[in-house]
Amino acid sequence: MPFDLLSDLVTDYTVRTVALGAMALGAASGALGSFAVLRRQSLLGDAISHAALPGIVLAFMITGTKSTLPLLIGAALAGWLATLFVIAVVRTTRLPEDSALGIVLSVFFGAGLVLLTNVQRREDASQAGLTTFLFGQAATLLERDVWIIIGLGGFAVLVLLLGWKEFKLLAFDPEFAGSIGFPVRALDVLLVSVLVIAIVVGLQTVGVVLMSAMVVAPAAAARQWTDRLGTMVLIAAIFGAGAGLVGATASGLAAGVPTGPAIVLSATAIVVVSLLLAPRRGLIWNAARQARGRRALRTDTVLTDLFALGEQHRGQTHGHAATLIAALGPTRGAVGPALVQLASRGLAEQLDDQSWLITSDGNAEARRILRHRLATDPDGVPLVEDEDR
Amino acid sequence: MSDSSQPRDSVRRSAGHAATNGAERAGAAGPAGTAGAAATMADAHARDRLGATRAGLSVQASDAAHTDGPSAIEVNDLTVAYREQPVLWDVDLTVPNGVLMAIVGPNGAGKTTMIKAILGLVKPAAGQVLVFGRPYAEQRKLVGYVPQRGSVDWDFPTSVLDVVMMGRYGALGWFRRPGARERALAITALEHVGMQDFADRQISQLSGGQQQRVFLARALVQDARIYIMDEPFQGVDAKTERAIVDVLQDLRARGRTVVAVHHALQTVPEYFDWVALLNVRRIAAGPVAEVFTDENLRRTYGGRVPFLDGTAPA
C-alpha cells in the first residue's frame, strides 16, 4: 500500500498534478499565513475565504463557465471587498475588529449560500461541481489549474519577499514604521491583498469552509520551532506543502473523502505534534521544566528544614527521621527522594540508625538559600540570623 | 484660551517685547506672566544651543540647513479629538533646540497623543507642528522615536539586533536590506545602553528594562537631532534607569533635543532641564526651575498632586 502510493505519486498523472497543486497552495498560504498569525489576523483569513463564496458563484453566473481563472478572480474580488468592509467598519464605527469580522464573514457567506442554492435550481447541469468549492475537491484540478496556483501563489510569495523589511516592520511595530515615513495603511492593504491571493488559490482544493486553517495551522506550528521570522516563514511553507501533499494524496486514494478536510487534518496533526514536542515552546518541554523547578524547590525546602532542626538542637549530632522532616513542610511523600538527592550532592548524610543529618556543606548551602529568600522576600522578614554580623 | 496662546506669541516676538507683554498681563493673569518670562528664557536658551551645535564638528553641512529653524519643535494651536472628545485643546508648545524636556500631566491629559501628533501618527483636528520650522513629513530623518514598551508584541520572532537595526530602515528607504554597516551601528548603539551581550537574544527573553533599552538603542541608530520618547522610565529597573539617564546626558552634550513623556514627578528636576505641564490644555512650559512650581502642578493635576502630598507615585 505505501509502495502503491509512492509509485502513484511518481507515475500517476492525476495524483501527481493534484499533489503538486496542493503543495503549492500549502506553501503559499503557509508563508503568507505567518504574517497573518503574527499580526493576530487569523480570523481575517477565515472571513476572506468564506466571503469568497458569493464571488465564485457570481463569477459563474456572469461568465457561465467553471474555468478556474474567472472563478478565482470573482473569489479574490469578493474576499478583498470583505476585507475593505472590515477595515471600514473598524475605522468608522465603535465595533471591535472581531465583531466586524464576524458580521462580514456571515453576511458574505450567507449571500454565497443563497446564490449557490439559486444556481443549483436551474435546469442546466453546467453548475454541477460548484458545491465542491465548499469543501474542496482536488480531483477537479487540471494541469492548467495547478499552473495558476503556482503562478498566483508564487506571485504572492514574491511580493512578500520583495517587501520583506517593510512587512516585518509593519508586523512588529506599525507605529514606529509610521514615524519613519512608511505608508502603514498602504502596506497593510498590500499585505492583506497578497493574503487574499494566497487564500483564493486554495479554494478549489481545500474549500471556503476550511481554507482559513491553511492560513493559521502551518504558521502556528512553525512558530513553535523557531525564534526567527525568516525561518518561521520557511518552515510554515514547508509544513503547508507537506500537509497539502499528504492530504491531497490520501483524498485521491480514498474515493469520496473531500480534499479539504484531508489536507486540514494533516495540517492539524503537524500543529499537535509541534505544540507538544517543540523545544522551549512545546508543552512537554514546559512540563519538564516546571517539574525540574518543583523538584529543586522541594529539595531546597528539605535542606532548609534539616538546617532548622540542626539549629534547634545545636551541638548535638544526632540525626532526624525522614518522617519528622516530612511533618515539617508541605513536601510530604517526596522527602525520601529529596534526601537521597541531597546525600548525592554531599549536603546531607544518612546515619546508621536511618536518620538524617545535615553536613557542613549543607549548612553553608542552606544559609545561602535562606539569605537569597530573604533578599527576594517582599515582606523582608528575617528568616535566619546573619552570621556575618 | 487666550492664556494658553499668549506665551507662544511671546516666543515669536523679541525678548524685550515678550517681557513687556508678560508685565502687562502680570496683574490679571499671574501664571501667564510667568510663562511669558519663561518663553523669553526659551528664546535665549535656544540661541545658545544653536550656536553651540553649529560650532560643533558633529553637525554636517546638510544637517545644518535643515536645523536652521527657530526651535526644534513648534506646536501651534494643536487640537486633537477622538470621537468628538477633545484630547488636546488648542495647545501651543515651543521646544528650544538642545533641551531635555519632560511632558508631565495626569492620566488622560493627552501626553501620548501630543507626541503622536508631533510624529504625524494622529491627525490633528486643527493646528500645525513644525520641526525646525518645517512640517514633520519633510523632517522625518531628524526625529527619532521611542514608543511605549508595551505597544508591541515582545513574543515576535526576532532578535535584539534585528529590532535595533529597524532604526535604520528609514534611512535605508524602500527595499534595501540592512547590511554590515547597519549591523555595526546597531552593535554600537547596544553598547551605548549596555546591551551588547544580548544582540542575538530572542526579544521575548528580555526583562522590561532590557526591552526599554533595546527601544532606546533603536532610536539611537536613527542618529536623529530630536528624540521623542513615550514614558522611557516606565516600570524599569534601577540599572536601566541609570542607563537611560546616561544616554539623555550624552544626547544633551551632543546638542540633541529630547522630548519625553514622564510620570515620576520627583525626578523631573534631576533628569530634565525643561518641562511642559499638560492637561488637555497646556498649563505651562519652560525651564524646570521656573515652571515646575507647586502652583503649576496643582493647576495641572487639579489640586491632587501625589508628588506634593508626599505620597510619591510609583
Side-chain angles (χ1 to χ4, degrees):
Chain A
M1 172 71 176
F3 178 75
D4 287 351
L5 192 139
L6 273 179
S7 69
D8 274 359
L9 205 56
V10 179
T11 57
D12 187 299
Y13 175 76
T14 315
V15 173
R16 208 170 54 202
T17 307
V18 166
L20 193 63
M23 283 175 73
L25 80 89
S29 60
L32 271 303
S34 298
F35 276 81
V37 166
L38 289 175
R39 300 176 69 208
R40 304 179 188 280
Q41 287 184 329
S42 305
L43 268 175
L44 186 65
D46 212 16
I48 291 170
S49 62
H50 278 79
L53 186 60
I56 293 167
V57 184
L58 278 175
F60 166 76
M61 288 165 82
I62 292 167
T63 62
T65 71
K66 283 199 319 237
S67 60
T68 308
L69 206 51
L71 297 191
L72 287 194
I73 290 171
L77 285 177
W80 201 60
L81 200 65
T83 315
L84 295 187
F85 264 143
V86 172
I87 294 174
V89 166
V90 170
R91 279 201 195 136
T92 56
T93 73
R94 282 163 185 255
L95 282 181
E97 191 170 14
D98 55 345
S99 308
L101 283 166
I103 291 166
V104 169
L105 181 154
S106 41
V107 166
F108 273 72
F109 188 60
L113 285 178
V114 168
L115 287 173
L116 191 60
T117 322
N118 256 320
V119 168
Q120 280 174 319
R121 265 200 226 114
R122 288 189 190 172
E123 289 302 305
D124 66 298
S126 65
Q127 46 75 24
L130 266 192
T131 48
T132 58
F133 273 95
L134 282 177
F135 295 108
Q137 190 50 267
T140 62
L141 281 184
L142 305 172
E143 193 185 333
R144 199 187 50 204
D145 300 334
V146 172
W147 285 118
I148 290 171
I149 292 175
I150 292 174
L152 287 176
F155 171 75
V157 173
L158 189 70
V159 171
L160 182 73
L161 294 181
L162 271 178
W164 182 264
K165 177 179 104 230
E166 288 74 18
F167 290 137
K168 178 178 178 176
L169 185 58
L170 175 76
F172 176 63
D173 194 348
E175 211 164 70
F176 185 76
S179 84
I180 59 178
F182 287 107
V184 173
R185 282 186 187 186
L187 280 172
D188 188 9
V189 169
L190 181 62
L191 189 54
V192 170
S193 301
V194 288
L195 178 67
V196 168
I197 294 176
I199 287 174
V200 297
V201 296
L203 293 181
Q204 192 179 358
T205 312
V206 183
V208 297
V209 177
L210 291 174
M211 187 56 204
S212 68
M214 288 307 288
V215 173
V216 180
R223 179 67 188 92
Q224 291 291 106
W225 299 94
T226 177
D227 279 332
R228 291 289 183 272
L229 182 62
T231 319
M232 176 182 167
V233 169
L234 185 67
I235 295 178
I238 292 169
F239 281 173
L245 174 65
V246 173
T249 316
S251 155
L253 290 175
V257 174
T259 323
I263 291 178
V264 169
L265 280 178
S266 315
T268 309
I270 296 174
V271 172
V272 170
V273 169
S274 301
L275 285 177
L276 286 177
L277 297 184
R280 285 198 298 283
R281 299 178 75 93
L283 292 175
I284 291 176
W285 179 285
N286 280 340
R289 188 169 49 197
Q290 273 177 19
R292 261 200 311 277
R294 264 200 303 272
R295 233 179 358 253
L297 183 64
R298 210 152 50 204
T299 311
D300 283 357
T301 307
V302 170
L303 180 66
T304 52
D305 285 348
L306 263 183
F307 172 74
L309 285 170
E311 290 288 292
Q312 279 171 23
H313 307 270
R314 205 184 273 264
Q316 303 173 22
T317 51
H318 69 77
H320 312 283
T323 47
L324 175 65
I325 299 163
L328 277 177
T331 46
R332 306 211 182 286
V335 167
L339 285 168
V340 171
Q341 218 235 328
L342 286 173
S344 75
R345 285 161 64 193
L347 302 179
E349 57 186 339
Q350 189 167 26
L351 304 180
D352 294 337
D353 61 350
Q354 303 300 309
S355 68
W356 290 84
L357 190 65
I358 195 164
T359 65
S360 59
D361 277 359
N363 271 324
E365 174 67 7
R367 282 210 178 82
R368 194 192 62 76
I369 292 167
L370 289 172
R371 213 170 283 136
H372 178 72
R373 269 186 208 161
L374 180 63
T376 56
D377 180 18
D379 300 329
V381 179
L383 300 170
V384 63
E385 286 168 37
D386 201 334
E387 299 278 320
D388 303 338
R389 252 184 294 180
Chain B
M1 186 99 23
S2 63
D3 264 12
S4 60
S5 65
Q6 207 65 49
R8 186 242 318 168
D9 293 339
S10 321
V11 173
R12 285 218 190 114
R13 288 167 202 161
S14 72
H17 197 130
T20 325
N21 201 9
E24 271 168 16
R25 291 182 298 108
T34 317
T40 315
M41 290 277 299
D43 230 14
H45 201 101
R47 275 195 300 273
D48 285 357
R49 294 287 181 185
L50 261 183
T53 47
R54 278 204 188 114
L57 288 171
S58 65
V59 182
Q60 293 160 5
S62 62
D63 256 10
H66 292 290
T67 56
D68 233 11
S71 45
I73 300 172
E74 189 156 327
V75 177
N76 296 328
D77 306 328
L78 184 72
T79 296
V80 181
Y82 291 136
R83 302 190 192 285
E84 285 127 49
Q85 178 76 33
V87 184
L88 289 174
W89 187 260
D90 200 31
V91 171
D92 297 293
L93 182 67
T94 300
V95 184
N97 197 7
V99 301
L100 302 182
M101 176 187 268
I103 298 181
V104 301
N107 290 330
K111 305 183 293 291
T112 295
T113 306
M114 174 91 186
I115 62 174
K116 283 187 180 170
I118 293 174
L119 292 162
L121 295 174
V122 301
K123 208 166 163 268
Q128 61 165 177
V129 175
L130 297 176
V131 175
F132 290 115
R134 296 183 192 197
Y136 176 75
E138 296 172 25
Q139 304 278 56
R140 277 205 175 93
K141 295 202 168 136
L142 302 177
V143 182
Y145 177 37
V146 183
Q148 272 182 32
R149 173 159 55 83
S151 65
V152 303
D153 171 17
W154 288 95
D155 196 35
F156 195 86
T158 193
S159 69
V160 165
L161 192 68
D162 255 10
V163 171
V164 177
M165 283 196 292
M166 287 176 186
R168 296 304 300 167
Y169 283 13
L172 281 170
W174 286 93
F175 307 125
R176 275 178 59 206
R177 300 284 170 84
R181 190 179 119 81
E182 282 70 32
R183 184 172 286 268
L185 285 169
I187 294 207
T188 310
L190 281 172
E191 282 166 0
H192 204 141
V193 297
M195 288 284 292
Q196 63 276 16
D197 296 338
F198 293 80
D200 292 323
R201 267 309 164 89
Q202 147 71 8
I203 56 171
S204 66
Q205 296 167 15
L206 302 178
S207 72
Q210 290 166 342
Q211 292 171 352
Q212 192 64 58
R213 282 186 273 159
V214 169
F215 263 10
L216 197 60
R218 181 177 70 172
L220 289 177
V221 300
Q222 290 185 269
D223 192 26
R225 310 275 317 161
I226 302 171
Y227 287 92
I228 312 258
M229 307 184 182
D230 200 348
E231 303 208 12
F233 293 103
Q234 180 68 33
V236 300
D237 52 289
K239 188 183 175 196
T240 301
E241 185 143 350
R242 274 195 304 280
I244 300 173
V245 170
D246 287 349
V247 167
L248 291 183
Q249 297 302 330
D250 180 61
L251 289 173
R252 175 161 57 185
R254 286 157 54 206
R256 305 299 198 251
T257 308
V258 175
V259 177
V261 172
H262 194 61
H263 252 302
L265 292 177
Q266 65 271 27
T267 52
V268 166
E270 191 185 339
Y271 296 165
F272 298 93
D273 48 16
W274 279 61
V275 65
L277 296 125
L278 193 73
N279 189 353
V280 184
R281 296 162 191 246
R282 195 202 72 166
I283 308 297
V288 170
E290 316 243 336
V291 174
F292 199 63
T293 61
D294 290 3
E295 195 201 333
N296 278 338
L297 283 170
R298 285 220 171 78
R299 285 172 63 210
T300 310
Y301 286 84
R304 294 182 304 278
V305 189
F307 170 51
L308 294 176
D309 295 346
T311 49

